[in-house]
Amino acid sequence: MTHACRTATTMLVLALSTRAHGAERTFIAVMNGGQVVPPTTSQALGVGYLAYDTALKRLCYSITYSRLDGLETEAHLHNGKPGSTDVVFFDLDHGNPKKACLGPFSAKQERALYRGETYVNIHTDAWLAGELRGQVLPMRLGK
């Protein structure tokens, strides 16, 4: 079986299993240095696609980035509105791309996610407070 075929099969199984458990809500994060508090001058960019299973209270993500000024030291999903910082909800796996699931989410974490009050932060040895940040925002498709 080719790699592309295995990948497509895996994605189909994940999609079907998510729907079997509960509703799925999708989110996106566009990451850059301008969203970090305080902002960085990094030219790095990143994007994340996130899917939340409402029954399992789990958030699965696929995040990728490019052109970091330093080496990644840590990455997190934080609580926080745009322009503010707050506590870490979950640590994210190291490496690029990042693909994993987090949870279960507490009621507080779920509310923050639905309200657009969470963000992804990628820390590097060049930018200790974070080189990239992206607010996790709900995707509203259709109506």
Side-chain angles (χ1 to χ4, degrees), residues 48-124:
Y49 175 81
L50 306 94
Y52 185 71
D53 184 310
T54 59
L56 295 177
K57 309 243 180 255
R58 286 174 36 108
L59 181 71
C60 295
Y61 60 87
S62 178
I63 298 169
T64 187
Y65 55 80
S66 62
R67 301 187 308 183
L68 292 179
D69 289 343
L71 297 174
E72 179 185 336
T73 56
E74 52 189 340
H76 308 105
L77 178 70
H78 286 261
N79 185 45
K81 296 177 182 179
S84 69
T85 61
D86 209 326
V87 299
V88 171
F89 276 164
F90 294 98
D91 293 326
L92 304 180
D93 289 344
H94 284 250
N96 185 32
K98 300 178 181 310
K99 294 180 183 179
C101 296
L102 308 168
F105 272 54
S106 68
K108 175 185 176 180
Q109 291 167 331
E110 187 176 63
R111 276 191 307 277
L113 180 67
Y114 290 166
R115 292 177 180 165
E117 296 174 0
T118 60
Y119 63 93
V120 173
N121 198 7
I122 310 292
H123 302 262
T124 66

